[in-house]
Amino acid sequence: MNVLVCDLGFSSAKWIYGDRKGRIISAFSYNGDSLLVGEDSLMSSGSSYLKTMEELVRYYPVFVEQCQKQADTEGDILLAVGLPYSYWQEQHKPGGAVPALAKSLAGGSIKDVAVFPQGLGGLRDYLDGLPERPTGNVLGIDIGFNTIIFTLFSPHRKQIIHGKTLNKRGVHQMATSFLLPRIKELAPSGTFTPVEIAFLIEKGYLQYGFERHDVTREIQEAGVAYIEHIIRDIQGELQAHVGMHADFDRVLLFGGGAALLKNELPARNIEVVVLPEPEYANARGFQSLAFGKGV
C-alpha cells in the first residue's frame, strides 16, 4: 500500500508521496458556494490563514484532497497526518478529536489513516540519519507559523519525556517582535496582516510601487535572535515540569521557522542542528513511522 503524508500546519500543508513532495499554503476563502484553498484562495477577497485547532481539524479533509491531487496518487493509500503534540495528547482517546479526524479522512482510495504528533516526526527523521542512537536526550523544536512544538525525547528509552505546544508563537511572533523593528523605516504602516507577514517571509522583500527592498539579512538576524529567545523559554518550561531530567545534549530545529536560518547559529556548548529541508522534516518522519519503523 502506498503512503501519502499530509502534514497540515498553520502556514502550509507539506505532502510526500514516494520520492515526490510539495506544499500548499494554509489559506482558504469562499467563492460563492465553493471553497478555495492554497494559492487560489489568495486571489479572492476574504482569504484567511488557518488560525485555530478547530479550523485545522475542520479543513483537514479539504487539504488532504488537494494533496492527493498534487501528488497524483494511485491505488490504495495509507494516509499519515499530524496534529500539534499537546492537542494530540489530549484528544488521543476514544471519542476524542484524533480518532474522529482519522474517521473523517478515511474513504475512497484512503484505506487507513495514521495520526501522529507533530514534533515526533522531526525527531524520527533525525534518528533515521544516524548510524546509531545517541545516548543523551534530544530536544526537538518544531517552529510553525502560529505555534512552537517542543519535544524532549530519550532515544535510549525510546520515549517522549516531555512535550508541549506553545500557541501564539513561531514565525508570526518572530516577524512582529523581532523582524518588524529591524525594518520599521521600510514599513510606513508598521503593521502587517498574517497573510502579508507570510508573503514577506516567503519572498524576502518589501515592495512599495516601483521600489523593492531586500530584507533577507534582517530576516536571518531576526530568526537567530528569536531562536535564542525561545530556547531560553523552553529551558525554563522544562526546568519547571521535568526538573533534573530536563538535560539534553543537542537541539534539533525544524519546521517552516527553521527554514529561515540560512546560516549556522552562533557556537554554543550544546549542539544545535537545523535539519535538512526543515519544513519537510515532520513529513519525512511521518513517512518513516507509517512504514512501521517505530521511534
Side-chain angles (χ1 to χ4, degrees), residues 256-284:
L260 303 176
L261 303 174
K262 307 301 181 186
N263 304 312
E264 293 184 3
L265 289 168
R268 62 182 69 240
N269 56 4
I270 294 176
E271 184 181 6
V272 179
V273 180
V274 180
L275 298 188
E277 292 188 290
E279 63 270 37
Y280 287 99
N282 254 318
R284 289 193 303 265

Side-chain angles (χ1 to χ4, degrees), residues 91-260:
Q91 298 294 329
H92 192 69
K93 55 188 176 184
V98 171
L101 175 63
K103 184 177 181 180
S104 72
L105 294 173
S109 61
I110 299 174
K111 302 304 180 184
D112 198 7
V113 180
V115 184
F116 296 114
Q118 290 169 342
L120 184 62
L123 289 163
R124 175 68 263 168
D125 181 55
Y126 173 72
L127 294 173
D128 279 344
L130 298 180
E132 58 184 30
R133 288 179 177 267
T135 55
N137 296 333
V138 178
L139 175 65
I141 304 178
D142 180 3
I143 308 169
F145 190 73
N146 278 332
T147 61
I148 287 176
I149 301 168
F150 70 86
T151 311
L152 183 63
F153 183 76
S154 168
H156 177 68
R157 288 185 283 169
K158 299 182 180 181
Q159 71 179 49
I160 294 173
I161 298 173
H162 185 68
K164 188 175 181 180
T165 303
L166 304 177
N167 296 305
K168 297 183 179 179
R169 306 293 291 273
V171 174
H172 186 270
Q173 186 190 38
M174 183 278 287
T176 55
S177 299
F178 290 79
L179 174 60
L180 295 187
R182 285 175 164 82
I183 59 172
K184 58 185 177 182
E185 73 279 1
L186 303 177
S189 66
T191 59
F192 292 86
T193 67
V195 171
E196 289 170 334
I197 285 176
F199 185 88
L200 169 63
I201 297 295
E202 181 90 10
K203 303 301 181 183
Y205 62 79
L206 277 170
Q207 183 163 344
Y208 295 103
F210 295 104
E211 293 187 17
R212 178 177 291 186
H213 305 280
D214 187 326
V215 293
T216 52
R217 178 179 60 83
E218 288 83 355
I219 290 172
Q220 167 69 17
E221 291 174 352
V224 170
Y226 188 57
I227 295 300
E228 298 276 359
H229 171 73
I230 63 173
I231 287 177
R232 287 195 299 270
D233 274 5
I234 289 171
Q235 284 179 318
E237 287 270 350
L238 289 173
Q239 288 291 339
H241 291 90
V242 189
M244 293 297 294
H245 299 288
D247 62 295
F248 49 89
D249 293 337
R250 68 197 68 183
V251 176
L252 310 180
L253 300 177
F254 51 96
L260 303 176

